[in-house]
Every structure is written in structure tokens, then in C-alpha cells.
Amino acid sequence: MRLESFGWLLASLWFVCPAIGQEGLALSSHRNAESQDNTDGMESMLSRGYTPLFNGADLTGWWNPYPYGEAKVIDGEIHLRADKKFFLVTERKYADFRVSVEIHLPEGPANSGVMFRCHVDENAQKKVFGYQAECDGSDRKWSGGLYDEARRGWVWPSTSGRSIEPFLEHEAESKAAFADPVIANALNRHGWNRFDITCIEDRISIEVNGVPTCSFRDTADAYGYIAIQHHGEKGQTYRFRNLFIKELPQVPAEDTVSIVEQAPVAVTKIDDQVTLVDFGKVAFGNIAMRIPRSGRGNGKLHFGEKLKNGRIDREPPGTVRYGVSDFRKGSGQIGTWIVPAPVDVRNTEQAGATGDHPPAVLTPRSWLPVMPFRWVEVEGWDGDFQPEYISRRAAFASNWNDDASSFECSNELLNEIWELCKYSIKATTFAGVYVDGDRERIPYEADAYLNQLSHYYTDDDVEMAAKTFDWLMEHGTWPTEWAPHMVFMAHAEWMQSGNDEWLSHRYESLKTKTLLHRSGEDGLIRSDELDRKRHDIVDWPQKERDGFVFTELNVVVNAFHIEALRQMAEMADGLGKSGDAQAFRDRLNLARTSFQTTFFDESTGIYRDGVGTNHSSLHANLFPLAFGIVPDEKEAGVVAWLRKQSMRCSPYAAQYFLEGLFRHGSDQKALDLIVAEGDRSWKHMVDSGTTITWEAWDLKYKPNQDWNHAWGAAPANLLPRFVLGVEPKHPGWTSATISPQPGELKYARGRVPTKLGPIVVDWTNQSTFKLSLALPDGVKATVDVPAAVGTTGVLIDGKPAVATKVRDRWVITEALVGDVVIETK
């Protein structure tokens, strides 16, 4: 057994957030399920892929191994009564899973819990034994502790006289953990409490009302029953509801990703024993190949992402992929065999060697292993090797539609960048959820959000974003700013789909992702020493932070907090939660005011990194601008400063840098950065010949980078959002904004997929600006266009239209529908 770091688990908090005193804002440290409709709870769990352990009507699937104890179903709850301890047990055993149970303790002395991977010996006095997640109604407050019922006693926390010797090694540490007010007060003593237990191989994690209370590794049990407990207090009724399980591992690609067979684009004979096969672009897959019926021994297939001197690079840098698999000659069999790609153990880890990251996303066993590659070398093939002997089995989202989107403009390099980025999104759909390339195959919140934005603008039936959101709510990662990205993901999905029901099932869990639990009376987020050293990320890799100085109060973390509050207020309004919406807005206004007085340097006209430093990094200014935090009277100075800056950030932060420039009249600067000379732009990626975008601008900036990382594909969303100018204004695309940002481009045209059909844009930018716009039925658009020098108004379909000149834009008063032609005059 071994204790592991809480690092990744702490980031997956669902419902914990200390009260902040705003009337009407339900952000207490408990998920008070007393007032929540039970039907809503069941629908929410079903919507996230859980299976009921209890059907709400009877005790089908459960049994009582004791000759005493009463179990009844009352109003969709299981009620247990007894005068001695007993457990109600599932009929099935489970191995790896996430189980969720809500418990309501009776008043007075009470103790209960959820048994998991437990065992039953009907002949023993203590019939049920094994792991238990403790529900402790006493003043001891050890709810969420790990107890080994009828066997080894307390595991975490441990205590003298009630734990075996190995567990006593961490007695002081574990008791200190449960003395922490966040854990000690996780249980709502007089209401419903949600227990979530996750078992993955030897890793056991327990949460109470979203508070991680225990993360421990133990090998005593790999599978067993689930059970619920009555502690034996005579006359007391213990209540249970919303009992659900999600068996692990999940394999998201099974139902949403398909294998496509692809013929090679070139086959080149290197020598008598080696043939190089080129599939044109990198994809995640393996090989289908005709196997020689004659000969002896094995041949080899070398898979690679990179060439060196005309051959696959067998010692590529970083995490650029190379691998080799054998194929057997002389089998005597007719037909095509699958030659699997070599397995990288890190891509399949579920518990991990150190426990510092969530489980990797697995691909279906029926596929056999896959990896990213463009080339294969066939070694040991006797005689000529023909193209028809081999194909690549590539994995892509089943509903991917290459015709759903398009983009073309007067700059051919931008067109090439668009195609690179669009294909990067398609190629990285292989896992069924968005993953961080091929190094770990783990979803990360910021990576996923950038993938999500670009996926919406390149495909027309996107289910992967919502699936990834649910995955990350249960397998969150460690960076501070990654948590608010979950708010961004939910908001983006809501804007894309208009699905209020989907959002309502996830709304409460989003409150913790705002970072409110780290805020002070001034509304600003504090970063303690561990946050500053590890959790506050600013940018990645570390060398891309432009010298950012980490302080207790820093501008980047607070910018993300403020944007998360703004989006939460908007979603609360959309769901009719007016009290929450107002409370979020009040907190937002407080934080905005404090942000400006705390971080803005009047002497330079830009933002400092934080309190206690005069350093002003690119990041300290690009994030406030992107999130609209900069006051109107300060905007010109911040924008002017940013216009002078180069791309001193990673492809991740570049998403926000460019958003801020596009939104604040600096479209040509944004386009210049995308196509800039040097090695810090997408031009560099195109010039390299890559077919999927990279994790970093170059290996010298991140020596272990992936060459198949979709957070590097930001132009896939930036070009249609800003050059074509198409964004949703209301959820579900019932209204859109059309605001082209042409820079010095002469024309641009494209097709933007929406839930209601494609929006087609075609504009020219000469002495006047002319825009042809085709809107699908059900979409109305608010339109503004550039106001070139000398223009005096706007024509719509050749007739004068009411429009107001705002700065350098003509804003059309009337909302437009259908097909229209707009031209400045």
C-alpha cells in the first residue's frame, strides 16, 4: 500500500467552495441536495454516462446477507432500519469504477458508509468485510476516510489501536489532513451528502460533496461488491438515493470513432530489403498488409512521424514518434493481416507509476494498438512490394464531415495554415475525447477548450466536446487556470448547442471551477507558495512565460477568475437562476474594480505581473485584453503596447493573444503574427512540412514536445471567427454576430458550420467593403463591417440601410436574415 499525491485529484473538485457571503449565491462548501429534486439528480447522472445501481422502485440487484435488518424503498430512496449493524449488498461484483451514492444520516449518533470491492462470508459473524468510505456523523469528522471493515481497521486516517502497524506510519499526516477545515466540514450533517469513490487498479480515491478526502494505493482487493451500511442504532433510519456506477476504463472511441483504410500516396524502393511507404499525412492508426505466404522468419515495419536523409528517423527528438513491429513471413495464409503499432506504456497507464496524473484514454482493443505516423518502412520483404499490398487503418471521428467548413482568402499562406489546422483537429479526434497529443493521451482542460473551439468551426456534428467535458469533470488536472477552462468549455458547448438541459445537469459542478475558494474580501484570488511554485501555470512550457514574476496576487490567475465569473453569470441567467446570476455579477464587479486598482501601472499604462513586482510580461496584458477586462479609457494604451510585441508566448497563449488583437482593432497585427518569419509562427510549422500542428513553436522551445498537438491549431477557429467574422451571439446560434476583420486582405470566403446549418460568407475589401452573406433558416445576424476612409453609409441589396458609425466600423441597426449583400458606399 502507498499514499500518493493529491495533485491531480485536487483539481477535480466538483462541489466544494467556501461561502463568500453573497446573498442568493449557492456556493457553500456542501452540495445541499435536500432541496434538489431527486429526479434532476438521476437525470444528471444518466446524462454523464452513469448506470443506476438502484432503480428507484424496488431492491432489484441488491440483497441482505444478514438474518436481520430491514430495507425498504420509499419515495425513490432506500431506507435501512435495524438494531444491529448490517449491510445491503449488490448482487454483482465490480473491479474498476466510479461509484456515486447520496447518504442522509439520521439525527443523533449516526455512522454509515459505502462499501466497495467488498466481500461476503455468510458463515462469518461479520459477514461483510473490505473497503469502506466512511460517513461519520460524530464530532470526529472523519467522513471520506478509508476504513477496512472487519479486517485491518482505519487506513486513512490511521489511529493507534484501530489501525495495523503499516498504516500508523502516516498517522500524524493523515489526522492533520482531516483536521483541515475543508475536509473536516465536507459533510453536511443534516442533509444529503454525495460520496464518490473511484477505483482504478490499486488507486482508491474518495470525495465527499466534491471534496477530495483520500487518495491511497492498496492492493488488498481488486474487485468485489458495493454495499451500504446501517450502523445499528435502534430506531434510526438511514436513507440512500441516487446510487450510480460508471465502470472503468471507459473507451470513448468505441461508439464515436471509426477506422478508415487509406491507400499510400507513394511507395519507394530503398534497396533490396527496404521499401518506404508514404501516406501523405500523419494519422493515428496501424497497418493492414498482405503477408508473404513464402519465406522464413520475421519482417519488420518501422513507423515514423519524421524523415531524416530520406529514411524514417529512428532516433527522433522529443516525443516525435518512431516504433517498430514484426510481421511473420511464410505463414501460408491468404489475406490481409493487421500489423499493430508498437505500444507506448505511458499511453495506456490507468493508475500511473507515480499517481500524479489521471488515467490515459484507451482506444478499443478491437483496433489493436495505434500510433501517429506518416511513413512506414517495410523491411525484409522478398521481391517487389506493390502499393496494393498495404493500407493504413486511420482513426477519425465517425461523423467527421470534410465539407462542413471552408476558408479561403487572398493570402495563400493563410490558406495553407487553415488547412493544416483543420486537418490537425480531424486527426486528433482518434481517441473519442480531446487528448494532449500522443505523449500521455490524457485530456487537459486548456488543451480541450482550444480543441473544442476549433472543432466547432471545422465540423458540423460535434459530440466530442461534451464528452471531453464530462471526462475532465471526473479526471481534472493540476494547473490553476485549467479549472476556469471548464467554465469556458461548458459555456462554449451551450452557445454551440443551445442545450439548456445539458447545461443544467452540470451547472452546480461548475461553481468550483471559478476559483472562488481562493478569493478574498476584495474579490481577488490568492496564490500560496505551492500555487506559485506548481499550480499557477501562466503558459507552458515554463520558458514561454516572458519572464512572468509569480506573486501571491497575480494578474493572470485573476483574469481567468474574472472571465469565469462573467460566463457563470451569463449561464445562470440562461437557466433562470437570477439570484446566482446577480451574485456572480456582484462578485465580478468587485473583482474587476480590485483588479484595476491592484495590477494597473499608471506610469507605464499597462499591467504588472502582480503585487510586489514592476515587471510587465506579455501575458499580464494579453489575457486582460482578451477577456475584456481593460477599461475603455485604458484600452488604447494596452493595445498599442501589445501591437509592438512579438510572439513571446506558446501556441496556447497565442489563442488569447490573437483574440485580444482581433477584438480590439488590431486585425492586421494578428494576421502578421500568424504568418511571421522566424520560428514562432504557423508559417514555421507550414514551412517544416508538418501535417499536424505542434505543441510548441519548435523543439528548441520544448525539447519533449509532441508533433500531433491540437492546441497548436488555433487558426482553425481564429480565421473563421475573426477574418470571416462569424460567432454565435445567443445559445444554439439562434442569433449570430458577423463582424469581419480583414486587415489588409483583399478577399475572404468560407463556410462556418452551425447547429442550424452553415453560414456562408464571401467578402471583398477594395475601395469599398462588400459582403455576401447566406444565413440558414432560424438564424438572425447582427452585422458590422469596416468603415473605409471616405465611406458614408451602407447599402443592403442595393438599398440604403440604417447604420451607425462606431469608431472604424459601420454597425447595421437591423438584424438580418436569409441571403443578403451588404456594401459600404
Side-chain angles (χ1 to χ4, degrees), residues 41 180 260 277 291 358 413 415 421 441 512 709 717 747:
D180 185 316
V260 177
V277 181
I291 301 299
L413 179 56
N415 297 337
C421 294
R441 295 194 189 173
T512 62
H709 204 101
N717 74 78
Y747 70 84

Side-chain angles (χ1 to χ4, degrees), residues 615-634:
H615 184 263
S616 293
S617 65
L618 180 72
H619 302 74
N621 291 275
L622 73 87
F623 287 114
L625 187 69
F627 295 146
I629 300 172
V630 184
D632 291 345
E633 67 274 15
K634 307 295 185 184

Side-chain angles (χ1 to χ4, degrees), residues 1 131 148 150-155 162-164 167 218 220:
M1 73 291 293
Y131 297 132
D148 195 356
R151 198 165 53 180
R152 297 176 296 171
W154 279 103
V155 179
R162 299 199 63 190
S163 302
I164 64 173
F167 299 145
D218 190 79

Side-chain angles (χ1 to χ4, degrees), residues 33-53:
E34 189 76 64
S35 60
Q36 182 184 3
D37 186 272
N38 192 33
T39 302
D40 288 345
M42 292 188 70
E43 290 178 353
S44 175
M45 297 300 286
L46 291 170
S47 126
R48 294 202 295 271
Y50 283 80
T51 300
L53 285 169

Side-chain angles (χ1 to χ4, degrees), residues 477-707:
T477 65
W478 52 271
T480 297
E481 299 96 305
W482 277 205
H485 276 91
M486 294 301 293
V487 178
F488 301 175
M489 285 191 75
H491 186 271
E493 172 64 19
W494 180 53
M495 293 298 289
Q496 182 73 11
S497 69
N499 190 334
D500 289 351
E501 183 179 13
W502 180 91
L503 180 61
S504 68
H505 291 328
R506 292 152 178 83
Y507 169 80
E508 289 296 328
S509 65
L510 285 170
K511 290 179 178 178
T512 62
K513 302 301 182 180
T514 63
L515 305 177
L516 269 166
H517 62 288
R518 282 172 51 180
S519 66
E521 293 184 359
D522 57 1
L524 296 180
I525 302 301
R526 268 67 180 171
S527 297
D528 63 22
E529 185 177 359
L530 181 60
D531 293 324
R532 297 193 295 272
K533 287 184 176 180
R534 174 168 168 77
H535 299 140
D536 296 355
I537 198 167
V538 177
D539 205 343
W540 195 259
Q542 298 96 320
K543 292 181 180 179
E544 295 286 43
R545 293 168 175 163
D546 192 29
F548 186 88
V549 178
F550 289 85
T551 60
E552 182 184 11
L553 283 165
N554 83 65
V555 73
V556 173
V557 167
N558 278 282
F560 274 93
H561 171 59
I562 287 170
E563 178 63 5
L565 291 176
R566 185 194 69 78
Q567 293 191 18
M568 286 298 297
E570 191 173 319
M571 289 187 286
D573 267 331
L575 295 178
K577 298 179 182 292
S578 57
D580 273 11
Q582 186 57 53
F584 276 124
R585 281 193 291 269
D586 290 346
R587 195 69 180 182
L588 171 64
N589 292 334
L590 173 65
R592 277 179 173 269
T593 300
S594 297
F595 185 94
Q596 189 64 23
T597 58
T598 301
F599 299 120
F600 194 77
D601 186 341
E602 295 288 349
S603 66
T604 61
I606 56 176
Y607 292 94
R608 294 181 289 256
D609 294 351
V611 174
T613 178
N614 289 320
H615 184 263
S616 293
S617 65
L618 180 72
H619 302 74
N621 291 275
L622 73 87
F623 287 114
L625 187 69
F627 295 146
I629 300 172
V630 184
D632 291 345
E633 67 274 15
K634 307 295 185 184
E635 181 184 298
V638 173
V639 171
W641 185 82
L642 285 170
R643 280 179 177 171
K644 298 176 183 177
Q645 310 309 309
S646 60
M647 191 72 82
R648 298 194 310 277
C649 61
S650 77
Y652 150 69
Q655 168 82 44
Y656 295 103
F657 187 15
L658 298 176
E659 278 189 27
L661 292 172
F662 273 123
R663 289 198 189 281
H664 294 86
S666 300
D667 32 322
Q668 187 54 47
K669 171 65 176 182
L671 294 172
D672 287 344
L673 287 170
I674 293 173
V675 300
E677 297 291 340
D679 58 11
R680 302 184 72 85
S681 75
W682 281 275
K683 179 182 185 298
H684 177 56
M685 292 192 201
V686 168
D687 289 347
S688 77
T690 187
T691 60
I692 301 181
T693 52
W694 299 337
E695 182 182 6
W697 296 120
D698 195 82
L699 285 162
K700 72 183 183 183
Y701 301 115
K702 192 173 193 297
N704 70 334
Q705 73 154 317
D706 273 324
W707 272 14

